Amino acid sequence: MTGNREIHLASRPQGWPTEDTFRLVETDVPTPGPGQLVVRNQYLSVDPYMRGRMDDVKSYVAPFALDAPLDGAAVGEVVASESPDIAVGDTVLHGLGWREYALLDATSARPVDPSLAPVSAYLGVLGMPGLTAYAGLLEVAAMKPGETVFVSAAAGAVGSLVGQIAKLKGAARVVGSAGSPAKVERLRALGFDAAFDYHDGVHESLRAAAPDGIDVYFDNVGGDHLEAAISALNLHGRVAVSGMIAQYNDTEPPAAPRNLALVIGKRLTLRGFLVNDHNDVRSAFVSDVAGWLREGTLSYDETIVDGIENAPDAFLGLLRGDNVGKMLVKV
């Protein structure tokens, strides 16, 4: 352990982030104090919500500080410990990514078992994206067997799981949108009943894919996707709003949705949610997902970028939609 490399926020982006938004900084490997750990990160997560934290605005989570390391979910091996509860050699999940070595309180680390699944899975299908998909679909949108579900950004870490979980829980029809023909083909291979490239037109494509309308929309995109979903939703339809990645880099207010008045006559429910509000279903989520993985009825994809120095490229690629499934950085 001769040195540590971290990615710092060098400037606050106006619109799309660029390479100049980030800075690679070399520091010393930290030394743990009482009750602390040093973790050698193996994988770190880049996620769409991180774009909002680059702006200095009040939100549900504090903005990233300038000239300081970014943070986010990571998994790694404990290389030094001053805690009686976690030993050197243990694998832990924690929230100090974007660096090679993390110093953290043992109470903020959650041990995981690398013999049950690859450690990267704890950042995806068995982690925050998986729980987001599970809770958003079943708790927030309250999907019922026999319903039709539409998922945007359906080839991403969350959307690809939403569609599969919907089928496993009895949805009659699942429709997904994605950003390329290759991603559309992947959705069909995952069991989606219909899928389309949103570049071909969201409104028209959704009408063709769900001619009898939809009952649930899982929104990762916002904008024209949300507008199209409102038009397609049946009476008492529900929308679980997980993200709106289409407008994260916009500098002007979005034009859509322009049909919000339909919410009244259709008696629709649009509900935003944060995954941390649903930790009460974590045990059910882990039980269901672990079982599906064992049975081979649930699949997941990962797009892995090598090297901490390439974490900014991974994040920018995520915003462009370069990933299939979970975007990760292998440290």
Side-chain angles (χ1 to χ4, degrees):
M1 296 188 293
T2 57
N4 182 28
R5 293 184 297 170
E6 307 173 334
I7 302 296
H8 288 207
L9 185 66
S11 62
R12 299 202 184 278
Q14 301 298 314
W16 279 82
T18 67
E19 292 287 346
D20 293 336
T21 304
F22 308 92
R23 182 182 297 116
L24 180 65
V25 177
E26 294 189 7
T27 66
D28 295 329
V29 176
T31 300
Q36 292 185 319
L37 314 170
V38 174
V39 178
R40 171 69 166 94
N41 285 334
Q42 295 168 314
Y43 291 91
L44 63 88
S45 176
V46 293
D47 300 284
Y49 81 88
M50 294 174 175
R51 174 59 187 85
R53 295 189 65 193
M54 294 177 183
D55 298 328
D56 189 12
V57 296
K58 185 177 181 180
S59 184
Y60 62 89
V61 63
F64 293 127
L66 284 173
D67 301 313
L70 292 88
D71 58 66
V75 64
E77 180 183 356
V78 177
V79 295
S81 175
E82 293 295 331
S83 167
D85 301 317
I86 299 179
V88 170
D90 286 352
T91 302
V92 298
L93 179 68
H94 63 90
L96 292 180
W98 292 83
R99 67 204 78 188
E100 290 177 316
Y101 291 91
L103 174 68
L104 59 144
D105 293 335
T107 54
S108 62
R110 181 160 64 89
V112 297
D113 188 348
S115 70
L116 294 180
V119 295
S120 59
Y122 292 100
L123 295 174
V125 64
L126 288 171
M128 180 269 286
L131 182 57
T132 300
Y134 188 93
L137 178 69
L138 303 179
E139 296 290 309
V140 178
M143 188 212 84
K144 298 184 286 291
E147 293 190 317
T148 296
V149 177
F150 171 46
V151 189
S152 56
V158 174
S160 60
L161 298 176
V162 172
Q164 293 180 83
I165 293 170
K167 293 297 288 186
L168 288 163
K169 290 291 187 177
R173 186 169 181 80
V174 176
V175 177
S177 72
S180 72
K183 289 183 178 182
V184 168
E185 287 305 309
R186 180 56 183 155
L187 295 182
R188 291 179 177 137
L190 290 174
F192 282 67
D193 297 290
F196 61 84
D197 184 336
Y198 65 80
H199 295 104
D200 295 332
V202 182
H203 287 260
E204 301 82 359
S205 298
L206 181 56
R207 278 196 296 268
D212 296 324
I214 62 175
D215 304 294
V216 169
Y217 171 46
F218 194 106
D219 190 13
N220 292 303
V221 173
D224 57 350
H225 277 77
L226 179 56
E227 183 176 283
I230 289 172
S231 292
L233 278 160
N234 295 322
L235 195 67
H236 300 298
R238 288 92 63 208
V239 180
V241 184
S242 175
M244 293 190 173
I245 195 171
Q247 38 200 88
Y248 288 167
N249 297 302
D250 289 350
T251 56
E252 298 293 331
R258 297 162 294 183
N259 57 350
L260 277 175
L262 292 177
V263 171
I264 304 166
K266 292 187 176 186
R267 282 82 108 193
L268 304 180
T269 299
L270 280 68
R271 182 179 168 194
F273 73 101
L274 300 178
V275 65
N276 289 337
D277 294 338
H278 298 277
N279 285 318
D280 58 317
V281 300
R282 184 179 292 277
S283 60
F285 154 70
V286 171
S287 176
D288 277 349
V289 170
W292 293 328
L293 291 174
R294 281 193 303 270
E295 296 163 0
T297 54
L298 182 71
S299 300
Y300 66 94
D301 294 314
E302 295 175 335
T303 300
I304 297 176
V305 174
D306 286 320
I308 185 68
E309 68 277 9
N310 294 317
D313 289 336
F315 178 71
L316 296 174
L318 173 75
L319 296 181
R320 292 191 300 265
D322 293 349
N323 59 301
V324 176
K326 184 75 187 83
M327 179 71 91
L328 296 168
V329 177
K330 185 177 182 181
V331 183

